[in-house]
Amino acid sequence: MELETTAAPEAAAPLGEAPVEVTVAGTRVTRTAGSAHVIKGRQLERFEHDDPHAVLVSVPGVYVRGEDGVGLRPNIGVRGVNPDRSKKVTLLEDGVPISPAPYSAPAAYYFPLITRMSSVRVIKGPGAIAHGPQTVGGTVDLVTRAVPSLASGAVDLALGQYGYGKAHGYVGTSDGQMDVLVEGVHLRSDGFKELPRGADTGFYRNEVMLKGSYLVDPTARIRNELRLKLTYSEELSNETYLGLTDADFEDDPRRRYGVSALDRMQNHRIAAAVTHVIEPLPGMSVTTTLYRSDFSRVWRKVNGFRGANLFDVLTAPDTPQNAVYYAVLTGQLDSSTPGEALLIGPNEREFVAQGVETRVRWDTTTGPLSHRLEYGVRLHYDRIERRHSENGFHVLGGALVPDGGPTVVTQLNEAWTEAAALHATDAVTWGSLTVTPGVRVELMRSAFVDRAAGSEKKRLAQAVLPGAGAYYALTEELGLLAGVYRGFSPPAPGSDEHVEPELSVNYEGGARFADGPLRGEIIGYYNDYSNITDVCTLSSGCLDAELDRQFDAGEARIYGVEAYAEHEIPLGALTLPITAAYTLTQTEFLTSFTSDDPIFGRVVEGDEMPYVPRHQASLSIGVEHERAGLVVSGSYVSAMREKAGSEPMSRALATDEQLVFDASGKVRVAGPLVLYVNARNVLGSQYIVSRRPFGARPNAPRWIQVGAKASF
């Protein structure tokens, strides 16, 4: 069920043009036996979004939770899984895992720049078993630019409010035997939040990609090709986990407390993938990819008071025990006791992920049946090393002053996982019916080494994940689909043997209509969990003692309906593109329990899960001409709980209901030169998009950006 593409020549394609056809397990996406959604290059270019949240909100069944307002570290959930750091979603770039440590520490503190992607594919339902290790919700595969068939390139330059700047360009060529492409992006901003002394709250990110391929003998009967892909990424962002009280948010949502002035994230990533493709027989291909990524990050930030939890202080700042801490936090009072010292320090982490994967695809027939078989095996290793430390700081006259105490190391450990994953699928077609059975097997050996305590825990785990999907064409345009499969999320390294992996049985069914540019579908799904889990992260409010520890929540269910429609209506020389998506989601714990995980706490059977909106919708309408275009979109997300419960949502433990409108216009000035303007959050609405880990944080304000791009 791997997605494949057949790309048209890209010599004259604009920046970000998409492949013209997409297939799942050899079947066209419009007739695949399972849920699949593709955001094409043309759709990506309409808004020139830099925030992946804004791109993915248009996909039904995909949830996003804001954090920094610009999408530096996305929080993506699919079909109700916890979106915190996208840890329950398999993230790929060109089919290769991109999470810093997909098994050992799945929280995705790295996410590539969405502006250099040519398309985005979301695979849900039974198709998820062709990927992994996270298969409960699904897979997000980011597809980079193909090497152009003729010498060509493009450049995209933009400026905007809040010191926004973008420089993006590529150049590539092919002689029919050897291809090469070089692409680079620089993205920056001074930040829209405000510190008392005017310090920078922005960021910059740089990414460079080199692609190359060599066809050994273009005239040979057997295709034999080598491919190379190298990427480098770096980021410096003056970001913090520290938010605001509700009262301060109402007064000024862009305010940042001065004690967060030292907070800063620095990271860099180097990745390489070498691929060999051979087609030994007609209809058969064998693709082997050797990959490795190295990611390192240092995030210095406010962690809390020595004597109080920041979340508690900001949630209830007027209580007698919190009032003094709040006054110190905002610089109204000086620190006067050891408990009023703020703990600030760097979380240093080093990640390695490497492996080799082979996929064999074979199209064949047996009598009246046609088969599109795929067999795959992946051998994978990843590791995370953590060194977290902190120092005490007094607040004196609103400034941070070291308290003179020693540096305290709060985490000194590493975790690693060795994994072997195998999968097999066969899309079998007989007349109007396509049935796609498949199975995935995961075998894992992991360890957690606590260097501070001098202890080590090892663990073996395995899972067999069968699944099947079916599509029946009632007419050439209209069909019915259904599927069932076993979902899986691996246990955290070093967890006790009684700690179970996340397991579920997932069902889906619906109808799809596709006739040229007109497409519509409605799908219902039901995920039945025998054990739903969460892995604690700092971003969800976990303390060092619980960091990356798995918490089991027992039986649960998540179910809902996804609807999607798109069309490009021709009106003479004009085209009216329209897309619409809606998702309804219901969640329910079926087990009562008490957990140290702050997003769970004390849960009673029947409680709803955190971080899942009941309703989500998006609508985009435009008018386009070959020389100009204008498109407007709106997205709606209902309020989300930040802690499990069944009572009416308390504003102190929920995000805001959100309605955001964007607009973008383009005009072709002369030849290949195009000018564009983007208006983000046109109405300037400000919402609380997150309260974890420490207080209310806003979405980005109204933001105007102008740019120019040209292809050659």
Side-chain angles (χ1 to χ4, degrees):
M1 300 181 185
E2 172 80 356
L3 284 165
E4 304 173 341
T5 63
T6 302
E10 297 191 24
L15 203 65
E17 191 56 73
V20 298
E21 184 180 354
V22 178
T23 63
V24 179
T27 306
R28 284 178 301 163
V29 70
T30 55
R31 306 190 73 168
T32 185
S35 303
H37 191 96
V38 180
I39 305 174
K40 300 178 183 178
R42 183 181 295 274
Q43 294 168 294
L44 291 173
E45 285 204 336
R46 282 185 177 129
F47 286 97
E48 303 287 348
H49 279 302
D50 303 310
D51 184 348
H53 287 155
V55 172
L56 290 167
V57 75
S58 66
V59 180
V62 177
Y63 316 96
V64 295
R65 180 171 66 91
E67 179 177 315
D68 49 50
V70 292
L72 294 176
R73 277 160 287 283
N75 298 287
I76 303 166
V78 178
R79 290 189 169 174
V81 302
N82 188 346
D84 178 49
R85 284 288 175 268
S86 311
K87 62 193 175 189
K88 293 290 188 178
V89 177
T90 293
L91 298 177
L92 308 174
E93 182 176 309
D94 295 330
V96 175
I98 57 171
S99 297
Y103 287 83
S104 301
Y109 285 88
Y110 164 78
F111 198 89
L113 289 173
I114 199 73
T115 191
R116 67 178 179 88
M117 300 303 153
S118 64
S119 64
V120 179
R121 310 168 188 172
V122 180
I123 307 169
K124 299 167 287 183
I129 65 173
H131 308 281
Q134 309 289 342
T135 65
V136 174
T139 298
V140 176
D141 189 9
L142 307 167
V143 183
T144 62
R145 183 181 316 282
V147 179
S149 58
L150 300 173
S152 61
V155 63
D156 181 358
L157 303 174
L159 297 171
Q161 292 176 288
Y162 309 109
Y164 173 84
K166 177 177 70 173
H168 179 196
Y170 79 88
V171 61
T173 188
S174 172
D175 63 5
Q177 183 174 21
M178 182 175 291
D179 305 335
V180 66
L181 170 75
V182 179
E183 182 169 12
V185 183
H186 171 73
L187 194 66
R188 70 170 309 279
S189 167
D190 292 337
F192 60 85
K193 297 176 185 175
E194 299 172 353
L195 283 162
R197 302 184 182 183
D200 187 357
T201 62
F203 72 93
Y204 73 77
R205 290 191 64 185
N206 296 317
E207 288 194 355
V208 179
M209 179 183 71
L210 169 66
K211 270 187 174 181
S213 66
Y214 178 72
L215 189 60
V216 176
D217 184 353
T219 64
R221 180 182 62 84
I222 297 177
R223 183 179 182 87
N224 195 359
E225 184 178 6
L226 290 172
R227 300 171 184 167
L228 173 67
K229 177 184 172 186
L230 304 174
T231 56
Y232 174 79
S233 305
E234 65 177 2
E235 174 191 328
L236 188 152
S237 54
N238 299 298
E239 275 300 330
T240 181
Y241 275 148
L242 186 61
L244 304 170
T245 66
D246 280 15
D248 289 338
F249 187 95
E250 291 292 334
D251 182 59
D252 182 4
R254 288 188 278 165
R255 176 184 178 184
R256 257 178 65 174
Y257 299 138
V259 295
S260 69
L262 299 179
D263 291 16
R264 171 177 289 192
M265 159 75 88
Q266 288 182 281
N267 64 55
H268 70 271
R269 179 180 186 267
I270 299 174
V274 179
T275 300
H276 175 251
V277 181
I278 188 169
E279 298 176 356
L281 297 171
M284 177 182 284
S285 67
V286 181
T287 304
T288 301
T289 300
L290 182 68
Y291 61 89
R292 178 179 170 117
S293 65
D294 292 81
F295 178 69
S296 64
R297 47 151 282 196
V298 178
W299 196 347
R300 188 188 196 195
K301 53 187 172 52
V302 176
N303 294 323
F305 282 105
R306 184 172 280 123
N309 181 285
L310 274 175
F311 183 83
D312 296 337
V313 171
L314 293 172
T315 301
D318 298 325
T319 63
Q321 61 268 37
N322 290 337
V324 172
Y325 289 111
Y326 170 73
V328 172
L329 192 66
T330 54
Q332 301 172 55
L333 288 178
D334 289 346
S335 302
S336 58
T337 68
E340 294 168 10
L342 279 166
L343 301 176
I344 301 174
N347 288 355
E348 301 179 48
R349 300 182 187 178
E350 301 281 342
F351 301 82
V352 171
Q354 62 187 27
V356 59
E357 181 173 37
T358 295
R359 291 181 182 247
V360 180
R361 300 189 181 105
W362 186 26
D363 295 349
T364 186
T365 59
T366 56
L369 304 179
S370 64
H371 301 262
R372 277 86 64 201
L373 298 113
E374 177 176 294
Y375 308 103
V377 58
R378 178 198 293 159
L379 302 178
H380 178 92
Y381 169 83
D382 60 44
R383 183 181 74 249
I384 176 175
E385 298 180 12
R386 304 179 184 88
R387 187 183 190 279
H388 299 179
S389 61
E390 57 191 20
N391 290 90
F393 286 79
H394 291 304
V395 180
L396 301 176
L400 292 168
V401 178
D403 67 359
T407 298
V408 177
V409 176
T410 59
Q411 289 275 317
L412 185 61
N413 58 59
E414 69 174 88
W416 56 261
T417 302
E418 297 171 337
L422 304 92
H423 78 272
T425 63
D426 183 7
V428 185
T429 298
W430 180 42
S432 299
L433 177 65
T434 297
V435 179
T436 310
V439 65
R440 183 178 189 85
V441 177
E442 290 273 2
L443 306 171
M444 293 150 288
R445 184 167 72 109
S446 63
F448 180 85
V449 181
D450 189 334
R451 300 200 179 281
S455 63
E456 179 177 4
K457 287 185 178 180
K458 292 187 176 180
R459 164 151 193 181
L460 297 175
Q462 61 282 321
V464 179
L465 312 170
Y471 178 87
Y472 184 76
L474 299 172
T475 68
E476 184 64 28
E477 297 82 17
L478 177 64
L480 303 177
L481 62 93
V484 59
Y485 75 101
R486 194 182 195 200
F488 170 76
S489 179
S495 55
D496 295 332
E497 291 297 329
H498 71 271
V499 175
E500 299 179 358
E502 182 167 279
L503 292 170
S504 64
V505 178
N506 304 337
Y507 308 86
E508 69 172 8
R512 182 186 297 129
F513 180 87
D515 184 12
L518 174 61
R519 178 183 173 182
E521 68 179 27
I522 183 166
I523 296 175
Y525 72 92
Y526 185 97
N527 293 354
D528 185 7
Y529 290 82
S530 58
N531 183 46
I532 192 168
T533 69
D534 185 54
V535 176
C536 252
T537 64
L538 290 172
S539 59
S540 64
C542 290
L543 303 176
D544 278 304
E546 284 85 36
L547 186 62
D548 291 312
R549 176 183 168 194
Q550 177 175 309
F551 291 91
D552 293 350
E555 297 181 4
R557 60 185 175 188
I558 301 174
Y559 54 97
V561 177
E562 304 165 355
Y564 179 79
E566 66 175 330
H567 194 24
E568 293 191 2
I569 304 172
L571 290 177
L574 301 177
T575 301
L576 272 63
I578 301 175
T579 63
Y582 170 73
T583 305
L584 168 67
T585 310
Q586 299 273 17
T587 68
E588 184 180 6
F589 286 105
L590 302 179
T591 306
S592 299
F593 62 94
T594 300
S595 173
D596 291 334
D597 189 331
I599 68 169
F600 288 162
R602 185 177 182 274
V603 173
V604 177
E605 179 182 351
D607 281 356
E608 296 179 347
M609 298 175 190
Y611 298 146
V612 181
R614 176 71 58 85
H615 303 282
Q616 180 171 290
S618 68
L619 175 66
S620 172
I621 302 175
V623 56
E624 295 180 341
H625 184 271
E626 64 178 8
R627 297 195 61 85
L630 175 66
V631 62
V632 178
S633 75
S635 63
Y636 169 81
V637 180
S638 60
M640 290 184 283
R641 297 180 185 274
E642 297 237 19
K643 186 177 182 180
S646 57
E647 69 285 347
M649 285 191 218
S650 162
R651 191 171 191 272
L653 288 173
T655 65
D656 285 342
E657 183 180 43
Q658 302 163 41
L659 179 62
V660 176
F661 292 94
D662 294 335
S664 182
K666 294 181 173 64
V667 59
R668 187 174 296 276
V669 178
L673 179 61
V674 175
L675 301 181
Y676 63 87
V677 58
N678 301 320
R680 316 295 192 207
N681 190 7
V682 174
L683 301 182
S685 305
Q686 295 274 243
Y687 302 110
I688 296 175
V689 298
S690 178
R691 295 179 181 275
R692 299 284 184 184
F694 310 130
R697 286 183 286 174
N699 62 315
R702 182 185 298 110
W703 201 330
I704 307 299
Q705 302 157 3
V706 296
K709 59 183 179 179
S711 57
F712 54 88

